């Protein structure tokens, strides 16, 4: 890895030549020291990553988090969140919910400008998966908003990363990293610079690691130049409103991918497989009760799964009510084409050990009020078990299966797959449309 730092003091007037000059110097250094005379520069795609990492910056400014700002919410970040929640009298979950985020913001804004400054190293912009870089020479442009009160311009850090090739090839496959740091206002101002840095004639992706904001100028310009806006609804503190924003983007013609959608694949596959036998396929016509359990904190997966199932079976949303309580119960009514009513219960289950992703599905029960129907199906995660779903009665006559979560739950690993298969996902769009219909009933 070779790195160079350039300070761009006049972002309104800056030319892309400064950054390209630094990159050419890096490639010249590779060639002159004999390490990369056969290096392959970015030829596969360009990806722009919007990396705000508000949580770590808030925790750092408030004195809870001494580690680098890197966007990785590992043990250190979760420990800092838990300490902050305990300090402010919030429910200790080690995860950021809407109440925690709002309290952190309030405490931060109560600080003086001097108190808001922190000395944590900022490592954003260099975390793209190594396996991806080893196979795909690419250009990564990371936009890192800072919490500075004063707009002092934008700094640009450029580097090249060339993983050692395991096949002993003399040719290096390299990724170019360009990291721009500044206030949100400053980054909005240099959107033209960002567009100039994107390599022409290559696929262009935007990984927006924040809630989608169609009103933000930077988001608008990035959406226009990208082949696909990549999002992750597991990040969202209020997924109901954010899923509606994603639907608005799709309706506007913006290509969108939600990494959280792909985490549902094992549940979708086992749901479909359970009704593959002919004698069970006809039983789908008797299905009128559905229970979906998910880890408390984010209902996005549960809502997207329901949207998928309803879109495949032609169910029309009729009603949506939130009951609350310990399980934050939501009750949804849908109607099948042949007129029967389907009652759905979504339950947020408190779990002691939250996994890598907040809001993972933990259980699914499909059944019928007709005791003679052969449609009862119970799916449950390996970690949560089937006890809660089986407690509904009639478990002996149910098809029961444990679901193994996909091994690459992490966003950066799912991103690697998305960059390989980019294109319109009709199944996602159809499912999201039904999910949005359901959410509008609540509003």
């Amino acid at each position: 890895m070779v790195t160079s730092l350039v300070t761009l003091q006049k972002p309104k007037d800056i030319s892309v030549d400064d950054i390209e000059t630094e990159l050419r110097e890096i490639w010249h250094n590779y060639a002159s020291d004999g390490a990369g005379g056969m290096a392959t520069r970015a030829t596969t795609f360009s990806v722009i990553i919007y990396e705000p990492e508000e949580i770590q910056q808030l925790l750092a400014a408030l004195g809870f988090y001494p580690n680098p700002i890197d966007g990785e919410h590992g043990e250190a970040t979760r420990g800092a969140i838990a300490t902050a929640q305990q300090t402010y009298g919030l429910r200790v979950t080690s995860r950021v919910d809407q109440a925690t985020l709002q309290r952190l913001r309030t405490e931060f804004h109560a600080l003086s400008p001097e108190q808001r400054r922190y000395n944590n190293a900022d490592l954003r912009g260099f975390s793209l998966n190594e396996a991806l870089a080893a196979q795909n020479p690419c250009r990564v442009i990371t936009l890192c908003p800072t919490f500075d009160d004063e707009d002092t311009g934008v700094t640009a850090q450029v580097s090249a990363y060339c993983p050692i090739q395991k096949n002993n090839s003399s040719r290096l496959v390299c990724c170019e990293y360009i990291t721009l740091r500044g206030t949100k206002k400053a980054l909005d101002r240099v959107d033209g610079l960002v567009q100039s840095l994107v390599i022409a004639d290559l696929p262009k992706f935007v990984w927006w690691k924040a809630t989608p904001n169609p009103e933000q100028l930077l988001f608008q310009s990035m959406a226009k130049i990208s082949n696909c806006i990549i999002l992750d609804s597991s990040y969202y503190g209020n997924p109901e409103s954010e899923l509606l924003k994603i639907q608005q983007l799709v309706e506007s013609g913006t290509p969108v991918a939600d990494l959280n959608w792909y985490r549902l694949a094992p549940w979708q596959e086992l749901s479909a497989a359970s009704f593959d036998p002919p004698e069970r396929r006809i039983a789908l016509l008797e299905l009128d009760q559905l229970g979906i359990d998910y880890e408390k904190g984010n209902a996005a997966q549960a809502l997207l799964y329901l949207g998928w199932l309803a879109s495949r079976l032609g169910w029309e949303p009729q009603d949506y009510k939130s009951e609350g309580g310990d399980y934050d119960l939501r009750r949804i009514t849908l109607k099948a084409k042949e007129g029967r009513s389907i009652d759905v219960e979504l339950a947020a289950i408190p779990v002691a050990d939250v996994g890598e992703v907040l809001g993972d599905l933990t259980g699914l029960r499909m059944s019928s009020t007709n005791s003679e129907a052969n449609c009862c199906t119970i799916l449950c995660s390996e970690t949560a078990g089937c006890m809660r779903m089986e407690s509904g009665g009639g478990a002996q006559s149910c098809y029961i299966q444990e679901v193994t979560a996909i091994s690459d739950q992490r966003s950066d690993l799912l991103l690697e797959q998305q960059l390989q298969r980019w294109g319109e996902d009709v199944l996602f769009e159809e499912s999201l449309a039904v999910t949005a219909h359901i959410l509008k009933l609540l509003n």
Side-chain angles (χ1 to χ4, degrees), residues 129-334:
N129 185 261
E130 181 175 340
L132 179 64
Q135 300 298 324
N136 302 276
C138 59
R139 174 170 287 187
V140 181
I141 305 164
T142 306
L143 311 178
C144 303
T146 62
F147 280 8
D148 300 324
D149 290 292
E150 183 181 357
D151 179 2
T152 58
V154 176
T155 61
Q157 190 171 1
V158 296
S159 61
Y161 176 54
C162 304
I164 300 299
Q165 301 299 300
K166 296 180 179 180
N167 59 5
N168 296 321
S169 171
S170 61
R171 179 176 295 277
L172 292 174
V173 177
C174 302
C175 276
E176 299 173 339
Y177 289 85
I178 303 169
T179 303
L180 303 179
R181 291 185 177 86
T183 63
K184 287 185 177 180
K185 182 178 180 180
L187 291 176
D188 277 344
R189 197 173 56 233
V190 298
D191 66 315
L193 168 67
V194 177
Q195 295 183 44
S196 299
L197 290 171
V198 173
I199 301 175
D201 303 324
L202 291 183
K204 306 167 187 64
F205 301 93
V206 174
W207 186 15
W208 194 265
K209 297 177 70 174
T211 55
N213 186 357
E215 291 77 33
Q216 186 177 351
L217 293 178
L218 184 62
F219 184 89
Q220 293 175 9
S221 62
M222 295 302 98
K224 288 179 181 177
I225 67 171
S226 70
N227 294 104
C228 184
I229 291 278
I230 302 171
L231 306 167
D232 189 341
S233 58
S234 72
Y235 290 163
Y236 305 154
N238 186 359
E240 290 86 346
S241 65
E242 306 307 335
L243 287 173
L244 287 174
K245 289 183 181 179
I246 297 176
Q247 174 61 16
Q248 291 170 4
L249 288 171
V250 172
E251 290 176 348
S252 71
T254 303
V256 176
D258 181 1
L259 299 181
N260 210 23
W261 161 258
Y262 297 108
R263 298 186 180 106
L264 292 174
W267 296 87
Q268 295 167 329
E269 291 168 4
L270 279 179
S271 297
S274 65
F275 289 98
D276 272 348
E279 66 274 12
R280 297 202 89 232
R281 197 171 304 165
I282 193 66
L284 277 171
L285 298 176
E286 300 287 347
L287 176 62
D288 59 13
Q289 292 182 323
L290 177 65
I292 304 175
D293 286 0
Y294 61 95
E295 291 179 356
K296 193 166 189 173
N298 187 310
Q301 283 193 25
L303 291 165
L304 286 171
Y305 177 88
L306 178 57
W308 167 76
L309 188 64
S311 69
R312 297 306 92 195
L313 297 178
W315 295 347
E316 184 74 16
Q318 301 292 310
D319 190 31
Y320 181 8
K321 294 179 180 178
S322 177
E323 292 187 1
D326 291 340
Y327 287 165
D328 190 21
L329 293 179
R330 302 144 190 258
R331 300 198 183 278
I332 298 141
T333 304
L334 305 102

Side-chain angles (χ1 to χ4, degrees), residues 16 24 37 51 73 113 120 163 185-186 192 292 314-315 343 364:
V16 72
R24 284 195 294 270
E51 177 79 272
H73 285 198
N120 305 54
K185 182 178 180 180
I292 304 175
W315 295 347
D343 295 322
L364 174 69

